[in-house]
Amino acid sequence: MTTLSSPNSSTVSPSRGTISPAAFGTYESPMPGDSHSGHSEPAITDNDETELHFVSWNQDYSCFAAGTTRGFRVYNCDPFKETFRRDLKSGGFGIVEMLFRCNILALVGAKANTQYPPNKVIIWDDHQSRCIGEFSFRSEVRAVKLRRDCIVVVLEHKIYVYNFMDLKLLHQIETVANPRGLCCLSHQLNTSVLACPGLRRGQVRVEHFGLNMTKLIKAHDSQIACLTLTIDGLLLATASTRGTLIRLFNTIDGTQLQEVRRGVDRADICSIALSPNVQWLVVSSDKGTIHVYSLRVRVVGEDASADAAVRTPTLLCQNSSSSLDALISPSTGANPGSSLSFMKGVLPKYFSSEWSFAQFHLPECTQYIAAFGSQNTIITAGTDGSFYRCSFDPVNGGEMVQQEYVRFLKTESRPR
């Protein structure tokens, strides 16, 4: 095994020459006769109590991965089913990241894992049931993000970007303290965009690698709590630790395009997701309510036969956030605003905020990550081991309707 030196006393250890994303296989069903990692240690049976450490969506929301005290599992969303699991005697994983539906995953061990410590990233080929690369660091890994061409490792004060083909270091980015491991990537092949906290409170740094351009956006007065990009990286949605406002920005020039309000009281925002056609935004928080908002960014050149995921919003360079007429337009569904909005020039901004278009209520005592399913549906995965699917009316909004509930993992933290 070759060990390559990397900055900050990190090491990269490929188990073979190169990794070729173009050759990745895909998962559609469990590997026959294999419920463990390929190590000689025995698999853990379902009779053992398994707790949930971590949940995350893949890049197109078709699957989600769960890190458990026993290993990791992957679930398909539509129809909902467990696709496969790998149970390890050595301990569980605190981070599990998928690359769409392929056989390559990034794994970070939980603190109790005796084989894989939390300061090491494992690049795992589940088809071969073996590790094909490792990254080791001085400090604990906070997050890992994957694209088909790069691997991004997030530490508390630094982000490393590696080439997926040969695991060589491409970029280093310094950030403000980032214990949540905030970072997001574009996933369209012809754009390469990364967004993360900047060096100042409330600032977001956007790297347009293809354009060799960095944009710093003053998004909030408080620390950044959550952020996400559209699939092409041209739009950025952010929330702060106050958790009351979500803002939408043009990542090319930093213009604020829209602002919506989750509520009045402080909340911890757990997730933000943008629909592939850039028509809707969904937000989850520790308050137990899933909010859906109608976006006013005009989508041009739409072709009914085209895949919604490749539609690109119009983004014209603006010198002022007050000049947005060319960028925003009325939607089929409109977020309700305050009845006092006609006085917005006199009253505080609170009175002219846009409120959510549709809502769904869940138990408050757990965290949920929300995303968009097919045909105006919202899917959520909770740290209590629950999965919900609900639908919203794209014209009238209001309370969403629950379509499906699955208890995918039994956990002691399940609300009673």
Side-chain angles (χ1 to χ4, degrees):
M1 178 184 292
T2 304
T3 300
L4 305 176
S5 296
S6 188
N8 199 33
S9 296
S10 63
T11 59
V12 182
S13 306
S15 296
R16 54 177 177 155
T18 60
I19 301 175
S20 176
F24 291 168
T26 60
Y27 288 116
E28 297 299 337
S29 61
M31 302 296 286
D34 182 16
S35 63
H36 57 86
S37 69
H39 291 260
S40 58
E41 53 203 359
I44 305 298
T45 67
D46 281 339
N47 295 327
D48 294 284
E49 187 64 32
T50 301
E51 293 294 314
L52 191 61
H53 283 317
F54 176 88
V55 288
S56 70
W57 303 110
N58 71 342
Q59 288 80 0
D60 60 8
Y61 307 136
S62 63
C63 298
F64 69 90
T68 75
T69 52
R70 305 296 187 185
F72 65 91
R73 305 178 186 187
V74 170
Y75 298 88
N76 187 74
C77 293
D78 191 11
F80 186 88
K81 65 178 180 178
E82 181 181 293
T83 304
F84 67 95
R85 69 170 67 183
R86 298 291 176 260
D87 289 331
L88 293 176
K89 188 178 179 181
S90 60
F93 292 97
I95 297 173
V96 184
E97 288 291 336
M98 301 180 67
L99 180 60
F100 292 93
R101 300 182 68 94
C102 82
N103 54 297
I104 304 296
L105 300 99
L107 306 173
V108 177
K111 291 183 178 179
N113 193 316
T114 57
Q115 186 172 6
Y116 303 120
N119 67 322
K120 182 180 289 188
V121 177
I122 305 299
I123 306 302
W124 181 264
D125 183 339
D126 201 74
H127 183 69
Q128 300 183 59
S129 292
R130 71 185 186 98
C131 170
I132 56 174
E134 296 182 1
F135 301 86
S136 296
F137 301 90
R138 283 181 178 176
S139 58
E140 185 175 331
V141 175
R142 299 297 185 179
V144 183
K145 302 296 177 182
L146 300 178
R147 271 177 55 103
R148 295 188 187 277
D149 56 358
C150 70
I151 301 167
V152 178
V153 180
V154 184
L155 307 183
E156 183 152 354
H157 292 275
K158 208 156 194 178
I159 293 176
Y160 294 98
V161 181
Y162 297 91
N163 188 335
F164 219 141
M165 292 293 290
D166 55 16
L167 305 185
K168 290 184 178 179
L169 182 66
L170 300 176
H171 307 281
Q172 300 179 61
I173 301 170
E174 293 188 7
T175 69
V176 70
N178 185 17
R180 298 176 184 234
L182 300 178
C183 182
C184 55
L185 304 174
S186 65
H187 294 289
Q188 203 161 278
L189 289 176
N190 61 346
T191 61
S192 182
V193 185
L194 178 151
C196 64
L199 287 171
R200 298 184 178 182
R201 184 178 64 183
Q203 184 185 72
V204 176
R205 175 171 177 162
V206 180
E207 292 288 344
H208 290 268
F209 293 123
L211 301 176
N212 195 25
M213 181 183 79
T214 301
K215 186 65 185 178
L216 300 177
I217 299 174
K218 176 61 175 176
H220 299 272
D221 292 329
S222 305
Q223 294 280 13
I224 302 299
C226 198
L227 47 76
T228 192
L229 288 166
T230 48
I231 191 171
D232 57 13
L234 296 181
L235 292 178
L236 167 75
T238 66
S240 75
T241 51
R242 289 187 59 83
T244 55
L245 298 173
I246 296 89
R247 290 172 175 152
L248 192 70
F249 297 92
N250 173 347
T251 63
I252 298 294
D253 65 3
T255 300
Q256 181 179 317
L257 303 177
Q258 193 172 352
E259 177 181 276
V260 297
R261 178 171 288 275
R262 182 213 54 81
V264 181
D265 299 328
R266 182 182 292 268
D268 186 9
I269 302 296
C270 305
S271 69
I272 305 175
L274 293 155
S275 65
N277 62 2
V278 202
Q279 187 176 357
W280 307 101
L281 179 147
V282 64
V283 176
S284 66
S285 73
D286 62 349
K287 297 297 184 182
T289 303
I290 306 296
H291 293 275
V292 175
Y293 301 86
S294 175
L295 298 182
R296 295 183 287 111
V297 176
R298 180 179 294 125
V299 178
V300 298
E302 293 189 25
D303 182 346
S305 64
D307 186 347
V310 300
R311 297 174 186 168
T312 304
T314 299
L315 289 176
L316 305 177
C317 293
Q318 302 283 336
N319 294 321
S320 168
S321 60
S322 63
S323 177
L324 300 176
D325 292 342
L327 280 169
I328 59 178
S329 62
S331 301
T332 54
N335 302 313
S338 167
S339 60
L340 300 175
S341 60
F342 68 95
M343 295 181 64
K344 62 184 178 181
V346 178
L347 296 171
K349 184 178 289 187
Y350 162 80
F351 290 101
S352 59
S353 299
E354 297 177 58
W355 296 78
S356 61
F357 175 73
Q359 308 82 32
F360 184 65
H361 297 278
L362 294 164
E364 286 191 33
C365 47
T366 192
Q367 288 188 332
Y368 301 90
I369 56 171
F372 288 91
S374 60
Q375 299 178 340
N376 300 317
T377 61
I378 300 297
I379 50 178
T380 68
T383 54
D384 61 349
S386 64
F387 173 87
Y388 290 88
R389 188 192 315 277
C390 57
S391 61
F392 64 94
D393 184 331
V395 176
N396 299 312
E399 190 67 22
M400 290 186 265
V401 177
Q402 181 175 315
Q403 293 185 333
E404 186 176 10
Y405 164 75
V406 178
R407 178 79 176 278
F408 66 86
L409 191 67
K410 295 179 180 180
T411 66
E412 293 178 354
S413 59
R414 171 70 183 163
R416 298 184 183 276

